Amino acid sequence: MTVSPETRELLTALMAEYAMAIDEDRLEDWVELFTEDCDYRVVTRENVEQGLPNVLMWCDNKDMLRDRVDSYRHVNVYNPHYDRHVLGPLRFTGEKDGAWTFDVSYSLFQTTLEGESRLFSVGRYRIEARLEGDAARLKTVTVIADTGLVPSLLATPI
Amino acid sequence: MKPDIAWPRNDYSRVPFWLHHDEDIYALEMERIFRGPAWSYLCLEAEIPNPCDFRTTWVGDTPVIVSRAKDGVIHAFVNRCSHRGAMIVRELRGNAERLVCLYHRWCYSNAGELTGLPFRKGLKGEGGMPEDFDMKAVSPQRLKVANCHGMLFGTFSDRAETIEAYLGEFGIGMVRRFLSRPVRILGYSRQRIAGNWKLYAENLRDTYHASLLHEFFVTYGVDRATQKGGVKMDARHRHNMNHAYAGSDSQEEAKAAYADTAARLDRMQLRDKKLLNYKNEFPDGMNLAAPTFFPNALLIQINNTLGTRQIRPKGPGAHEVFQTLFGYVDDDEAMTRHRLISANLVGPAGFVSMEDGEAIEVIQKATRSSPEGCEVIEMGGRGPVADQAHRVTEAPIRGFWSYWAELMGVEPAGGIR
């Protein structure tokens, strides 16, 4: 499909910031990339392929994302680690009324405080992003993880 | 083989760390517990509703096929070809009249009987199997299957008690409570924890940790030790149920009790409170129930999130927690959505469960270098194990170890049961 260079660049930059915000532990900035009526969920390929609706995480609006982040900051304890996302190129699948849909593959590595890295998750994002003037925001992010067997635990978002 | 375990005490209030690290202990557990007279949880009947449905599962580290034959009877047998030992079924699930090994196309019925193999009589009078080759005699090992209100259990041992005796009135009643209506499977989650499987089994029997490790519980008032609840075991103390009643304590009571912890009872509020909505759907009024059955099963209710968990040991240093989330067939769309939103609480990313993985892994890391060290298990008392109508206890952990020691043949002199 035809996508203007400007749109492609804008949405590519949005995804780059998405990944970097998580990797740099700027989760509050990550939340701000979403629209108020957003939908963020993490599902696994095993469930998707069986037509099962189970979620590992599901925030059906931005307040739920804020609650997740607050909880990580103040309530939950989890494995101390660094995240590192490596994203593939955007594959555009549609556009309607200024909302673009596209898929992006990801690899997510985790590194312990002692410097040991491991592959934590691979999969793809199914994204719906809205263009609002010169800015773009995320309306829907569905993480479809090939890695259904979560190593240790899943705290910080994918 | 009889491992030499120097139990410091006969009430299991001290448990040697090395039992979580030792290869020989692990091998013996697979033999005497998982292939012994314990009943292991296999899967839910709702996962194989139709004739010829099958799914794969694990009993200890043995791969197992659970299947429903054409006549509706449920079978379970080892997923290992009689010929050269290949895994017969490699899919997670499916529907097939015959199960065929990929290697030499040996064929099995839904009941796990070897029914045919290519070139059995040779070709043009040459080759083939000996005339007297007995297919039945080499068929894969079968498990005895028990269907308890739709929860399927299996055992390899002829010596096993009946499932009624094994789970006891207590256990059977719990399964009935969870599976009283036809079940709809919502999906699966898996988590691989780098720690011994018994650390997870202990965790399930430890109400003491719940509101301390999982601070989310306390902060948002889902579960506090000040709530009415307790631990309830079967007569042999091998199974246990942690439970609590919604809204059975006051904010003041809780604040006083948690004053010396880091808990933030008043300081945090959820912006979207639907996460914690609870629609009572059980006559007993419990919002938290976690009956766990030796050796590998858990039924879990946290508010309206319902599921089973199966512990799959993966060597002494790792295990998988396989969770099956379910609702009921008569749930409407809104209820299914509510259950899925509540699922944020449980599983590998659960607000009130993610910490377990970390706690277990740091135990495994830190105890390896201390073969002489022991766990200290005295919260809730020493000596005989009994039910308790409070939640500041870890006595069911000692119950777990007493049955573990019995099956392993390693009880100390005068060991409690």
Side-chain angles (χ1 to χ4, degrees):
Chain A
M1 69 183 302
T2 320
V3 186
S4 73
E6 294 75 23
T7 298
R8 186 177 290 275
E9 194 183 319
L10 189 64
L11 294 174
T12 301
L14 175 68
M15 292 312 295
E17 172 61 9
Y18 178 103
M20 281 297 185
I22 298 172
D23 294 351
E24 292 169 354
D25 194 27
R26 294 183 286 110
L27 298 179
E28 292 77 7
D29 293 346
W30 172 76
V31 170
E32 286 314 310
L33 300 174
F34 289 83
T35 61
E36 286 297 328
D37 63 347
C38 65
D39 187 293
Y40 171 81
R41 48 183 117 173
V42 180
V43 298
T44 69
R45 191 165 177 168
E46 176 181 358
N47 286 304
V48 170
E49 292 193 346
Q50 293 182 46
L52 297 169
N54 192 28
V55 290
L56 297 187
M57 240 191 245
W58 184 11
C59 299
D60 70 358
N61 62 63
K62 198 166 174 173
D63 275 345
M64 284 190 82
L65 280 179
R66 294 183 177 110
D67 286 338
R68 267 267 170 200
V69 171
D70 274 359
S71 195
Y72 293 147
R73 292 290 188 230
H74 305 294
V75 182
N76 289 110
V77 289
Y78 49 88
N79 51 332
H81 67 273
Y82 303 111
D83 284 316
R84 180 65 60 199
H85 287 75
V86 181
L87 304 191
L90 280 56
R91 184 191 64 174
F92 287 87
T93 53
E95 188 269 336
K96 203 183 164 200
D97 306 328
W100 288 87
T101 52
F102 52 92
D103 293 347
V104 186
S105 292
Y106 72 86
S107 309
L108 170 54
F109 301 87
Q110 278 193 356
T111 300
T112 68
L113 301 187
E114 291 189 322
E116 188 179 342
S117 300
R118 65 172 170 182
L119 176 62
F120 180 74
S121 180
V122 287
R124 70 172 163 139
Y125 301 105
R126 306 208 66 180
I127 306 257
E128 182 188 347
R130 275 194 203 134
L131 300 186
E132 295 160 356
D134 291 342
R137 284 202 198 288
L138 297 162
K139 164 72 174 72
T140 306
V141 175
T142 304
V143 181
I144 304 174
D146 297 341
T147 311
L149 181 61
V150 175
S152 308
L153 61 98
L154 170 60
T156 47
I158 298 175
Chain B
M1 176 195 144
K2 186 175 161 75
D4 187 17
I5 301 174
W7 296 101
R9 298 180 181 181
N10 69 0
D11 64 359
Y12 307 98
S13 56
R14 294 290 182 276
V15 171
F17 289 142
W18 67 269
L19 299 178
H20 296 302
H21 297 276
D22 190 78
E23 292 278 355
D24 292 335
I25 289 288
Y26 179 80
L28 206 63
E29 287 170 344
M30 294 305 117
E31 174 195 325
R32 295 190 181 169
I33 296 173
F34 290 97
R35 293 196 302 275
W39 285 92
S40 290
Y41 166 53
L42 301 174
C43 66
L44 294 174
E45 186 188 2
E47 294 174 87
I48 47 167
N50 303 310
C52 302
D53 278 350
F54 64 84
R55 73 163 293 121
T56 54
T57 187
W58 296 85
V59 172
D61 56 13
T62 303
V64 166
I65 299 167
V66 189
S67 76
R68 187 187 286 273
K70 272 186 185 161
D71 59 5
V73 176
I74 294 169
H75 302 272
F77 49 97
V78 174
N79 188 6
R80 188 185 295 130
C81 183
S82 312
H83 181 209
R84 298 272 287 279
M87 203 174 249
I88 302 164
V89 169
R90 295 167 300 143
E91 299 87 354
L92 294 175
R93 58 192 283 280
N95 180 283
E97 291 200 7
R98 303 179 308 164
L99 305 172
V100 183
C101 175
L102 86 164
Y103 202 173
H104 303 84
R105 308 276 162 178
W106 284 33
C107 246
Y108 299 87
S109 71
N110 303 108
E113 299 152 322
L114 177 62
T115 54
L117 56 100
F119 307 130
R120 187 177 171 195
K121 295 188 189 310
L123 268 179
K124 296 177 182 166
E126 291 179 313
M129 299 294 272
E131 278 293 320
D132 62 351
F133 178 68
D134 183 355
M135 293 202 290
K136 201 176 163 76
V138 300
S139 285
Q141 192 182 359
R142 294 167 52 81
L143 289 84
K144 198 186 291 178
V145 177
N147 185 349
C148 180
H149 300 287
M151 189 170 182
L152 304 179
F153 293 85
T155 179
F156 282 107
S157 173
D158 295 330
R159 293 181 296 123
E161 303 158 62
T162 63
I163 194 71
E164 289 77 16
Y166 185 76
L167 294 178
E169 239 176 86
F170 148 82
I172 299 278
M174 276 303 114
V175 178
R176 197 189 307 121
R177 174 190 189 271
F178 276 78
L179 304 179
S180 60
R181 290 187 272 155
V183 157
R184 179 187 166 200
I185 304 295
L186 296 177
Y188 305 101
S189 67
R190 301 164 183 263
Q191 182 174 9
R192 186 186 171 94
I193 299 175
N196 188 270
W197 70 275
K198 298 188 293 302
L199 293 172
Y200 198 83
E202 289 186 316
N203 181 275
L204 298 176
R205 288 164 175 80
D206 163 11
T207 46
Y208 177 35
H209 89 282
S211 69
L212 296 168
L213 176 67
H214 307 304
E215 214 180 303
F216 189 95
F217 268 140
V218 180
T219 303
Y220 299 115
V222 193
D223 178 33
R224 304 187 281 222
T226 44
Q227 271 169 263
K228 200 169 138 243
V231 296
K232 195 170 161 37
M233 284 164 273
D234 63 312
R236 182 56 194 85
H237 305 124
R238 54 195 167 191
H239 318 306
N240 175 54
M241 183 175 73
N242 298 336
H243 60 283
Y245 294 88
S248 56
D249 66 343
S250 72
Q251 187 73 359
E252 289 64 41
E253 212 182 329
K255 264 160 75 176
Y258 286 91
D260 56 354
T261 74
R264 296 165 174 78
L265 257 65
D266 271 341
R267 281 174 277 163
M268 304 247 327
Q269 291 280 326
L270 286 174
R271 290 178 184 82
D272 190 336
K273 295 189 170 55
K274 73 169 175 289
L275 179 65
L276 299 179
N277 283 353
Y278 171 55
K279 296 172 187 167
N280 185 25
E281 58 181 330
F282 295 103
D284 55 29
M286 286 189 276
N287 73 317
L288 277 135
T292 180
F293 305 123
F294 190 98
N296 74 337
L298 174 76
L299 278 163
I300 177 98
Q301 174 205 356
I302 294 182
N303 290 343
N304 296 105
T305 303
L306 306 172
T308 65
R309 286 183 208 157
Q310 185 192 45
I311 308 173
R312 301 176 169 182
K314 304 287 177 192
H319 63 278
E320 177 182 339
V321 178
F322 182 82
Q323 179 170 271
T324 305
L325 215 72
F326 64 85
Y328 300 110
V329 168
D330 59 8
D331 287 344
D332 60 17
E333 208 177 306
M335 189 60 180
T336 299
R337 188 180 173 96
H338 171 59
R339 291 195 200 282
L340 291 170
I341 288 286
S342 306
N344 278 298
L345 297 170
V346 301
F351 279 125
V352 300
S353 58
M354 70 172 81
E355 289 91 354
D356 290 325
E358 175 67 358
I360 287 169
E361 293 196 353
V362 294
I363 293 174
Q364 192 76 14
K365 271 184 201 146
T367 56
R368 187 173 295 117
S369 55
S370 177
E372 71 294 342
C374 281
E375 300 179 41
V376 173
I377 309 173
E378 296 196 38
M379 190 57 75
R382 285 190 293 261
V385 176
D387 289 355
Q388 291 172 332
H390 62 78
R391 317 191 52 216
V392 194
T393 182
E394 51 195 2
I397 296 179
R398 297 192 291 116
F400 169 87
W401 283 105
S402 77
Y403 191 57
W404 179 91
E406 181 187 335
L407 290 190
M408 293 284 281
V410 296
E411 291 177 279
I416 60 147
R417 285 190 168 182

